[in-house]
Amino acid sequence: MRERTGRVLIYLADLTHTGTQLATENISLNIGLVASYAKKRLGNAVDVHLFKYPEALLEALRVRSPHILGCSNYVWNSNLAEWMLGHARALDPNVVTVLGGSNFPFEAGLQAEFLRARPNTDFHTFYEAEVAFVELLTRYLDVGTARKMKEAPIPGCHFLAADGTHVAGPPAARLKALDEIPSPYVTGLLDHLFDGRLTPLIETTRGCPFACNFCNAGDDYYTKVNAFSLDYVQEELEYIAPRIAATGVSNLWVADNNFGMFERDAEICRIIRRQQERY
């Protein structure tokens, strides 16, 4: 058990398996965006720390357990995330555990099956996580325990009630103006991940007009394409370029579903080219 402070201590982890090489080499933009939006909406009520490497999170948990531990859930780290949530619970049974990510079914029956197979997971966010996670944090600030949080649905979140019933909150509203999320790069939240091992990841749009059944973005929820402004994207790239160049990493990942489909993508390419030429 750890000493608690007045603020809600939150650890967010986008874990990668480590060994002779990293299984996933991207800087954790996903949890950075979730953390940045939570800090904007809830201010000093939350204290958020971000983790990529399991070893760093294990050490942090040893020193001080959080009120809330959230882990990303993808096919490549789902078992690792569930194990880490269980480890955190063994250290402190009061920790609230959360998963979020695209490795979650769309069908209600499969969602319930997924949650029952993961007994260390209290909640799973669904669809875009920024608003859903703030809804979850707001509920925690109101009631203070996972048990009480589960007494009513939470928008954008799924969980199993005390009697084992699958509870699905209504989908959280999508953010249409994505600039509402402060850049986790520009605000410095991701600075510690410029370590020479990880590759920067950016997102310039969200959503997809196509309905491909092999892709989670084919769901109706994502049909409308929303965008970060060109000014937002340029500021991020100008922040990333000198810092990543200093580490010797030369790659950049763009996480859009359809980069190159919109006219403005040509301008983003020109922005990238200018950073290439400078750095």
Side-chain angles (χ1 to χ4, degrees):
M1 303 285 275
R2 81 296 196 199
E3 178 184 356
R4 293 185 183 269
T5 65
R7 293 195 291 172
V8 175
L9 179 62
I10 302 164
Y11 292 170
L12 294 180
D14 174 42
L15 297 175
T16 178
H17 290 276
T18 58
T20 55
Q21 60 184 15
L22 300 181
T24 54
E25 301 174 348
N26 60 288
I27 288 177
S28 300
L29 176 65
N30 49 1
I31 57 173
L33 290 164
V34 171
S36 183
Y37 189 70
K39 287 167 65 70
K40 175 185 175 180
R41 289 287 306 276
L42 300 175
N44 290 330
V46 296
D47 179 18
V48 188
H49 299 257
L50 306 183
F51 300 87
K52 180 71 177 181
Y53 303 116
E55 298 84 356
L57 179 54
L58 286 169
E59 176 61 16
L61 290 170
R62 186 190 68 80
V63 173
R64 187 178 176 206
S65 182
H67 299 91
I68 297 173
L69 172 60
C71 291
S72 66
N73 172 36
Y74 302 107
V75 293
W76 53 83
N77 69 358
S78 188
N79 291 338
L80 177 59
E82 174 68 7
W83 181 90
M84 191 65 76
L85 298 183
H87 177 72
R89 273 187 166 178
L91 295 174
D92 180 358
N94 294 316
V95 65
V96 177
T97 58
V98 187
L99 286 180
S102 57
N103 186 42
F104 191 65
F106 287 108
E107 296 79 11
L110 294 177
Q111 291 167 340
E113 181 180 327
F114 181 98
L115 292 170
R116 292 186 181 113
R118 288 163 176 78
N120 299 318
T121 299
D122 287 317
F123 302 94
H124 200 297
T125 60
F126 192 40
Y127 294 131
E128 294 179 358
E130 290 89 357
V131 174
F133 193 64
V134 167
E135 294 279 1
L136 185 146
L137 293 180
T138 301
R139 177 71 58 84
Y140 181 84
L141 288 167
D142 287 342
V143 301
T145 67
R147 180 182 61 81
K148 291 183 178 179
M149 291 170 71
K150 294 181 177 183
E151 291 178 353
I154 303 172
C157 297
H158 289 233
F159 59 85
L160 297 179
D163 63 358
T165 303
H166 171 221
V167 179
R174 293 187 68 195
L175 292 172
K176 295 180 180 180
L178 296 180
D179 286 20
E180 291 182 30
I181 310 170
S183 168
Y185 287 110
V186 176
T187 55
L189 280 173
L190 299 174
D191 278 359
H192 64 293
L193 299 181
F194 287 89
D195 63 358
R197 303 177 74 191
L198 301 175
T199 297
L201 175 71
I202 66 168
E203 180 183 41
T204 77
T205 64
R206 286 187 183 177
C208 179
F210 307 113
C212 305
N213 61 10
F214 59 81
C215 177
N216 72 310
D219 188 82
D220 289 346
Y221 178 85
Y222 294 107
T223 299
K224 173 68 176 177
V225 178
N226 298 321
F228 293 92
S229 70
L230 280 176
D231 287 342
Y232 186 108
V233 174
Q234 179 167 330
E235 187 177 18
E236 279 201 329
L237 288 168
E238 290 177 347
Y239 188 93
I240 291 168
R243 289 164 177 81
I244 203 66
T247 71
V249 173
S250 58
N251 298 325
L252 172 72
W253 291 2
V254 180
D256 299 17
N257 293 115
N258 296 290
F259 187 76
M261 189 171 73
F262 303 103
E263 288 188 13
R264 74 180 211 139
D265 293 341
E267 178 55 31
I268 293 172
C269 289
R270 284 188 281 269
I271 295 169
I272 293 172
R273 178 53 185 258
R274 288 195 291 270
Q275 302 312 307
Q276 287 179 314
E277 291 173 343
R278 184 172 180 183
Y279 297 104

